[in-house]
Amino acid sequence: MENKKKICVIFGGKSPEHDISLKSATSVINNLDKDKYQIITIGITKDGKWYLYTGDTAKIESGEWEKEAKKRAVISPDAEDKAILVLDGANTEKIHPDIVFPVLHGEYGEDGTIQGLLDLAEIKSVGMGVLGSAVGMDKSFSKIAFKDAGIPQADWVLVRRENDFGGYIDEIEQKLGYPCFVKPCRTGSSVGVGKAHNKEELLLALKEAGKFDRKILVEEFIDGHEVECAVLGNENPKASIVGEILPTVEFYDFDAKYNDNTTELQIPADLPCDVSEKIREYAVRAFRAIDGQGLSRVDFFVKYEDNEVVLNEINTMPGFTNISMYPKLWNAVGLSYEDLLDELINLGEKRVK
């Protein structure tokens, strides 16, 4: 055990993407090389309680892990400790991980919060730093970064929940028209996302998105292929080949991503070579624009009419389930899931704040 790196996988969390984190973490744990790593698992409940979990990995995805986890856990912000504190009655145990893999999607996990906590404790972590996580998570700010980087995007209107939604309707209709997409600014996995074909649907979609965030992004509809590209690296990031989403529903919503087995992933995407290369170039440029390190999945549209590439969004901790695009894209070019995890851990150890 002394020669193995201690990898602490943190899963769950308070975001609406809690259940997706359970799926991703289960897959990550199952694919980590047990000959190389001593795996420590910390689960966070939906109400924000942290527990050390030492039970069967198979019980994580179902949520059964919570029934067995008894010892509370916290990260010590004391940089001298560099420790996770496990609280057992009057006793406190210190665990000193070599690196933390926060397999957390959405707020409090993908938005720079846990990254800041780990930096404060001087514990290394897999993935983006504070700035890249925060900007990548907030679609309104990443839009600004991508615009400055000269990457084509769908046009948008920023809506704030504290104002009357009706006051935005004229601007949205004149600038974007119908159909249009409505998204909470700081969620992923298509949580709270809606498509509006008229004013009535727009108001309903705004109210639904407003349940998840005080800031809402309304975007113009792009009629095109939905494609994704994976990025991996720190100072010299590289892009994978491009994959295409072929959903059987009107748009690639939460159910299509995680519950609908009819959705197909086409790898590589059936696109002209120059278009695929443009996507790969933009993916790396988007990654750099938010001060990216570690990993991201960058999503695009390719217009049917002229093959113009339009950036959709960036995901700084993409899904890692067995059907997720990020590991599949790298596997298609010869980097296995297991080797991908090794590389992410290596990048996390080398990440500069």
Side-chain angles (χ1 to χ4, degrees):
M1 295 290 282
E2 292 81 6
N3 296 323
K4 294 183 180 182
K5 288 183 181 178
K6 287 184 180 178
I7 309 298
C8 178
V9 176
I10 301 181
F11 61 86
K14 296 199 296 179
S15 90
E17 298 170 74
H18 176 98
D19 291 346
I20 306 307
S21 170
L22 303 186
K23 292 175 181 283
S24 289
T26 299
S27 187
V28 167
I29 294 165
N30 286 337
N31 283 278
L32 282 168
D33 188 338
K34 308 305 184 291
D35 292 328
K36 293 181 182 178
Y37 306 118
Q38 178 187 346
I39 303 169
I40 303 150
T41 50
I42 301 289
I44 306 175
T45 64
K46 289 182 179 180
D47 58 356
K49 295 176 182 175
W50 292 44
Y51 290 94
L52 175 70
Y53 178 61
T54 57
D56 187 349
T57 302
K59 294 184 178 181
I60 292 177
E61 184 172 341
S62 66
E64 291 180 82
W65 71 273
E66 292 189 31
K67 299 175 183 177
E68 297 185 9
K70 304 300 181 184
K71 296 181 181 180
R72 297 292 298 275
V74 296
I75 292 176
S76 169
D78 188 333
E80 187 176 347
D81 271 347
K82 296 182 175 60
I84 294 169
L85 308 182
V86 179
L87 313 177
D88 185 12
N91 300 316
T92 300
E93 175 191 357
K94 291 185 179 181
I95 297 175
H96 301 277
D98 292 299
I99 193 165
V100 167
F101 197 146
V103 189
L104 300 166
H105 305 304
E107 58 187 338
Y108 308 114
E110 199 177 346
D111 59 358
T113 50
I114 194 168
Q115 289 78 13
L117 176 58
L118 291 166
D119 281 356
L120 189 64
E122 294 191 5
I123 298 174
K124 296 181 182 296
S125 62
V126 171
M128 291 271 185
V130 173
L131 179 62
S133 297
V135 177
M137 187 70 202
D138 190 314
K139 296 178 181 65
S140 64
F141 279 94
S142 58
K143 282 275 193 183
I144 295 169
F146 300 148
K147 182 178 180 180
D148 187 65
I151 306 172
Q153 305 175 79
D155 205 356
W156 76 94
V157 171
L158 179 62
V159 174
R160 297 186 183 276
R161 186 179 59 195
E162 58 264 29
N163 297 327
D164 177 18
F165 287 144
Y168 291 100
I169 299 300
D170 286 347
E171 181 184 1
I172 292 169
E173 290 181 335
Q174 291 173 19
K175 188 175 183 180
L176 309 178
Y178 297 110
C180 59
F181 280 97
V182 180
K183 305 175 179 179
C185 269
R186 290 165 293 192
T187 65
S189 300
S190 296
V191 171
V193 175
K195 185 177 182 181
H197 300 83
N198 52 53
K199 181 177 179 179
E200 182 181 355
E201 290 183 2
L202 176 58
L203 284 169
L204 288 172
L206 287 169
K207 289 176 182 177
E208 179 63 22
K211 295 176 182 177
F212 299 95
D213 202 337
R214 63 182 176 83
K215 295 196 302 180
I216 302 161
L217 202 70
V218 184
E219 290 182 315
E220 69 171 319
F221 169 68
I222 301 295
D223 190 23
H225 304 271
E226 294 184 55
V227 300
E228 300 180 345
C229 184
V231 180
L232 179 68
N234 287 341
E235 286 77 18
N236 299 296
K238 55 187 177 182
S240 70
I241 60 174
V242 179
E244 182 172 1
I245 305 296
L246 300 172
T248 56
V249 292
E250 186 172 3
F251 73 96
Y252 196 40
D253 61 6
F254 183 92
D255 283 336
K257 285 183 177 179
Y258 299 106
N259 300 323
D260 182 0
N261 293 326
T262 64
T263 297
E264 294 182 15
L265 308 181
Q266 183 169 304
I267 304 174
D270 185 16
L271 296 169
C273 290
D274 62 324
V275 175
S276 291
E277 285 306 304
K278 178 61 69 175
I279 292 167
R280 296 177 73 243
E281 176 196 335
Y282 282 158
V284 171
R285 196 189 299 183
F287 186 78
R288 292 183 184 277
I290 66 166
D291 192 33
Q293 294 185 77
L295 75 159
S296 281
R297 194 195 71 234
V298 192
D299 302 346
F300 297 87
F301 295 109
V302 179
K303 291 183 179 180
Y304 291 129
E305 61 179 4
D306 58 8
N307 279 340
E308 180 188 355
V309 178
V310 179
L311 176 62
N312 181 15
E313 61 187 36
I314 192 166
N315 298 270
T316 59
M317 185 53 71
F320 267 89
T321 71
N322 59 352
I323 62 169
S324 294
M325 184 69 99
Y326 189 87
K328 282 182 173 290
L329 287 170
W330 287 116
N331 187 67
V333 293
L335 187 64
S336 70
Y337 197 132
E338 185 177 297
D339 290 340
L340 174 60
L341 295 177
D342 287 345
E343 179 61 14
L344 287 170
I345 290 166
N346 180 52
L347 290 168
E349 291 175 328
K350 294 177 179 178
R351 179 167 62 81
V352 179
K353 295 177 188 176

